[in-house]
Amino acid sequence: MEHLATVVSLRPATEDERPALENLVELYCYDWSELSHLDVREDGRFAALELAPYWRDDWRHPFVLVVEEKFAGFALILERSTLTGTSGVFDMAEFFVMRRYRRQGVGRAAAFSAFDQFRGPWEVRQRQENPAATGFWRSVIGEYTDGRYLETPVATTEWIGVVQTFSTRAMPQI
Ligand SMILES: CC(C)(COP(=O)(O)OP(=O)(O)OC[C@H]1O[C@@H](n2cnc3c(N)ncnc32)[C@H](O)[C@@H]1OP(=O)(O)O)[C@@H](O)C(=O)NCCC(=O)NCCS
């Protein structure tokens, strides 16, 4: 399949792009509905994430993934650990590549760009019901860090899964 990595850009979403991002989140929820048995509300939409805080709080970073000037996904990045609340730790809160762009290196290029743009300690979490995501992150983080990452099981009252932890601070940008 054609490799699209060279034409992928991951850039901050403007506040004007919030409605577009909300629509992309809706598609992301639709994908998740298969794994987590989510239903739509009476208006036919999922109870989507509240995105307004992403333009209010300086520790939240909304990004759109663009391929050849078209939206191809998004990344929601936090500068605070979701597991411990520690600030200064980057957390990949949500990450999505639209189906038509998958398995062409788009997610990999976007993840590398995120790690390049936010230098420091990272935590990337996956729920156990999404083993494909774990396969993806192991591959991408393994390559980015040259295998220098830890993977730890996590079980909280809200979710069960794994977290990969690593630091991009000392790594050369790829
Ligand atoms: C997971 C996801 C981001 C992958 O994006 P992508 O653009 O298809 O990934 P890439 O093409 O860059 O894949 C890079 C490598 O990751 C691994 N990988 C990708 N998708 C995978 C899958 N479904 N299962 C197992 N490994 C996978 C492969 O090693 C792949 O390399 P290869 O294609 O040469 O074998 C995408 O499928 C997606 O958005 N899924 C729905 C949302 C989601 O699960 N987000 C993550 C939440 S933690």
Side-chain angles (χ1 to χ4, degrees):
M1 202 176 280
E2 189 193 357
H3 224 261
L4 290 169
T6 53
V7 288
V8 173
S9 111
L10 187 76
R11 61 156 176 82
T14 66
E15 196 154 9
D16 287 349
E17 288 173 328
R18 187 170 130 201
L21 193 52
E22 282 169 351
N23 286 334
L24 294 172
V25 167
E26 195 68 15
L27 301 174
Y28 176 67
C29 290
Y30 181 51
D31 265 4
W32 268 105
S33 70
E34 199 175 17
L35 302 172
S36 295
H37 310 298
L38 306 175
D39 284 308
V40 290
R41 301 174 306 200
E42 283 189 0
D43 64 0
R45 294 175 68 86
F46 292 98
L49 299 163
E50 177 55 68
L51 290 182
Y54 276 88
W55 286 273
R56 190 188 61 213
D57 302 334
D58 60 5
W59 55 277
R60 297 184 205 258
H61 304 282
F63 275 70
V64 284
L65 207 176
V66 177
V67 173
E68 291 172 335
E69 295 174 38
K70 301 214 171 48
F71 290 129
F74 64 85
L76 299 179
I77 298 166
L78 307 178
E79 209 164 328
R80 180 179 294 182
S81 167
T82 297
L83 295 172
T84 63
T86 308
S87 59
V89 174
F90 300 110
D91 175 271
M92 188 63 83
E94 319 289 344
F95 188 85
F96 177 64
V97 173
M98 286 179 60
R99 285 176 177 262
R100 68 160 289 208
Y101 291 106
R102 290 185 192 165
R103 295 315 280 257
Q104 297 165 80
V106 170
R108 177 186 175 280
F112 275 32
S113 174
F115 301 153
D116 285 348
Q117 291 182 62
F118 296 101
R119 313 293 288 173
W122 272 87
E123 291 175 356
V124 180
R125 298 166 290 111
Q126 303 96 53
R127 291 175 181 265
Q128 68 176 2
E129 59 265 39
N130 194 358
T134 298
F136 166 74
W137 286 114
R138 280 181 185 151
S139 164
V140 164
I141 296 168
E143 190 179 342
Y144 191 94
T145 63
D146 202 14
R148 283 171 287 164
Y149 73 95
L150 276 182
E151 184 176 290
T152 317
V154 181
T156 73
T157 48
E158 278 145 38
W159 67 281
I160 296 173
V162 291
V163 59
Q164 291 91 21
T165 52
F166 55 98
S167 176
T168 60
R169 187 163 290 135
M171 284 168 199
Q173 297 196 8
I174 301 171

